[in-house]
Structure formats: structure tokens, C-alpha cells
Amino acid sequence: MMIFGGIFIITGFISMVFSYKHVLNMLLSLEFLMVGLMMLFFFWVNLGSSELVFIFYYIVFMVGEGVLGLGMLVSLVRWNGSDFFLSFSSINY
């Protein structure tokens, strides 16, 4: 379980570095990172026989972060027409 969490984190970070052109790809790789961190956190909590309520707090944080990211993506696409970073301009006509 710990190895899978580490692999998820590494692949999520690599995909975030190499897929910076689209906002949706960055959000998906960020969620992949969060799932890997949840796996490591779950392993750490089970190893120490600690409270499982902290995992629920983390899951609530993950859901809130995902909803906020998708809301920003929807407003970005409605305002700009796409989520392609190179089409952004600071000069609005």
C-alpha cells in the first residue's frame, strides 16, 4: 500500500509538470496526487493505530478542493472559451 501511494505521488507530480497546457489535466494530476497522499496517510494511521477520523477530514478537504477546481474550470471555460493556457491574454477587448 505504501509503495502504491508513492508511485501515485510520483506519477501525479510528473504528469503535473509535463501537462501544464490544459487546466483540466492539471486538476486531474492534482487529484491523483491527493489520492496518493490519502493512501500514504491511511497506511500511516493504520500503522500507529491512530484515529480514523483524520482520514475523513482529509477526504472532506479533497472533495472541497475538487469542487473548487471544477468550479473554477467551468467559469474559465465559460469566460474564455477553452482551458488552453496559451490562449489566455491579459489584454481584454
Side-chain angles (χ1 to χ4, degrees), residues 73-86:
L73 180 69
V74 166
S75 65
L76 177 74
V77 168
R78 295 188 107 201
W79 176 63
N80 193 28
S82 71
D83 67 336
F84 193 56
F85 270 136
L86 297 178

Side-chain angles (χ1 to χ4, degrees), residues 34 37-38 41-42 44-45 50-66:
M34 296 291 272
L37 282 173
M38 186 180 69
F41 192 57
F42 187 73
W44 178 65
V45 166
S50 198
E51 298 281 335
L52 286 175
V53 72
F54 296 121
I55 291 178
F56 294 124
Y57 291 148
Y58 184 74
I59 290 172
V60 167
F61 175 73
M62 275 179 44
V63 168
E65 179 263 334

Side-chain angles (χ1 to χ4, degrees), residues 5-78:
I7 290 171
F8 274 35
I9 290 173
I10 290 170
T11 55
F13 183 72
I14 288 172
S15 68
M16 184 178 282
V17 168
F18 289 118
S19 67
Y20 61 91
K21 291 183 181 181
H22 290 279
V23 178
L24 183 61
N25 289 343
M26 289 185 66
L27 285 174
L28 284 173
S29 61
L30 184 65
E31 290 297 322
F32 208 67
L33 276 166
M34 296 291 272
V35 168
L37 282 173
M38 186 180 69
M39 289 173 121
L40 287 178
F41 192 57
F42 187 73
F43 177 74
W44 178 65
V45 166
N46 280 339
L47 187 67
S49 300
S50 198
E51 298 281 335
L52 286 175
V53 72
F54 296 121
I55 291 178
F56 294 124
Y57 291 148
Y58 184 74
I59 290 172
V60 167
F61 175 73
M62 275 179 44
V63 168
E65 179 263 334
V67 167
L68 182 66
L70 286 177
M72 289 173 53
L73 180 69
V74 166
S75 65
L76 177 74
V77 168
R78 295 188 107 201

